Structures are given as C-alpha cells and as structure tokens.
Amino acid sequence: MTHHEPEPEVPAPAPAPGSAAGSLAAVPATAPDASSGAGARAGGPLPRARRAFRRWRRTRPFWAALWTGTGGFVILFLPLAPLGKILQIGVGGIAGMAGGVLLMAMALLILLLPSQRHTAGVIAVIAGVASFPLSNLGGLFVGMFLAVLGGSMAFSWLPEKPLARRLRRRPAPAAPATAPAQEGSAAA
C-alpha cells in the first residue's frame, strides 16, 4: 500500500499595490447580484412559477385554508381502518367522516373564494368543535385544534392593501400655534 502525500499549495503572487488587478482580486467572483435585477429575472420556469404562486398565495388566506384542510384530513382519515372495522363504527364514524369532508370543503372555499372567508371560517370552527364528541375526540384533539385554528385565521384575515395605498402618506397635521400668554396668568 502506498501513501500519497498531498502536494503543498503554492500561493498566487500578490498584485502590485494600486494596480487594477489588486482591487479586483479582493472581490470574490459570485453570481449576479439579485438586487440588480439581472439575477432576479434570470432563471427557468421554476423560479417564475414560484414567484407567481407566492403572489397568488398572498391574495388569499392560504395558511387558514391549509390548517383547516389538514384538520379535516386528520378528522376524516384518523378513524378509517380496514373494512371490517369501518362496518362496526356505525353512526359515530359516519358523523366524523362527514365533519372531515365538511372541513376540507371549507378549506377549499376559503382558498378559492376569499370573499366568503367569514362564513367558511365560522362553519370550520363549529365543525371542528363538533368533531370533539363525534369523531374520536376531534381526531385526538389534533384535528379539532387545526380546524379551530384555521377557521379563526380565516375569519380574521384581511386582504393586503395595494402598494400605492400603503406608500401614500397622509400629510402630518399642522402643529397647533402656541397661544399667546394671557395677561392674567403672568406672575405678580
């Protein structure tokens, strides 16, 4: 077995002080700066699709819909078991499955129709709380918690104001003029 020793690194010669090469050597070669705009526009369809999704997501209560749908998923699929067990579940299992389906429908409503977020949020909270006695303690509390969280987030969500409205500043109110000293208030 042979042992290879690493070759010693030879340092690059230092450029003369004050030369153009000396000032460029200090700056590492990197990708185009994203703040310049050239790097931000470059790229394939994946970055462009990601930016489009981000723009779309910010115009609706996305996280509220995600939590509500996840809570509905937990409530719906947690009691599911092999067919023999499902047949023995009975009415309680069907009510739990209906609650999960209702919550997932409310999640879609919240996501696709943000103008209906108040109604869907209230229904999601009610269905989440109702799942506690109807479906295995609300999906072992996890589904119930996620449904109530998502419904309350949907109810409280407000759309962003347009950028022009946010940047426009109201003029500061004029400072009240100082009142002249009253004659009777002077010290005697």
Side-chain angles (χ1 to χ4, degrees):
M1 199 179 232
T2 61
H3 179 65
H4 296 288
E5 292 184 20
E7 295 182 21
E9 294 183 21
V10 178
S19 68
S23 62
L24 291 177
V27 178
T30 60
D33 187 15
S35 63
S36 67
R41 280 185 301 243
L46 189 61
R48 195 175 6 205
R50 188 169 181 209
R51 282 191 305 270
F53 175 70
R54 184 179 299 139
R55 263 192 315 271
W56 176 81
R57 185 187 73 206
R58 290 180 178 170
T59 62
R60 53 202 68 243
F62 177 78
W63 293 107
L66 182 74
W67 296 134
T68 304
T70 305
F73 180 81
V74 169
I75 290 170
L76 174 65
F77 287 109
L78 192 65
L80 290 182
L83 185 60
K85 299 287 184 182
I86 292 175
L87 294 176
Q88 295 173 3
I89 287 178
V91 176
I94 293 171
M97 289 180 204
V101 168
L102 178 66
L103 282 169
M104 290 197 294
M106 290 303 107
L108 285 175
L109 187 67
I110 291 168
L111 190 63
L112 300 177
L113 292 173
S115 62
Q116 299 299 318
R117 67 188 180 274
H118 294 111
T119 305
V122 169
I123 293 172
V125 169
I126 291 171
V129 172
S131 72
F132 180 72
L134 296 177
S135 173
N136 295 339
L137 300 176
L140 299 178
F141 295 109
V142 175
M144 181 182 72
F145 173 75
L146 291 175
V148 170
L149 174 69
S152 59
M153 285 175 70
F155 189 84
S156 66
W157 181 81
L158 292 173
E160 269 189 21
K161 293 179 180 177
L163 183 61
R165 204 182 288 174
R166 281 187 288 164
L167 294 179
R168 187 178 350 162
R169 297 181 188 256
R170 295 181 182 164
T178 56
Q182 297 178 351
E183 295 173 19
S185 66

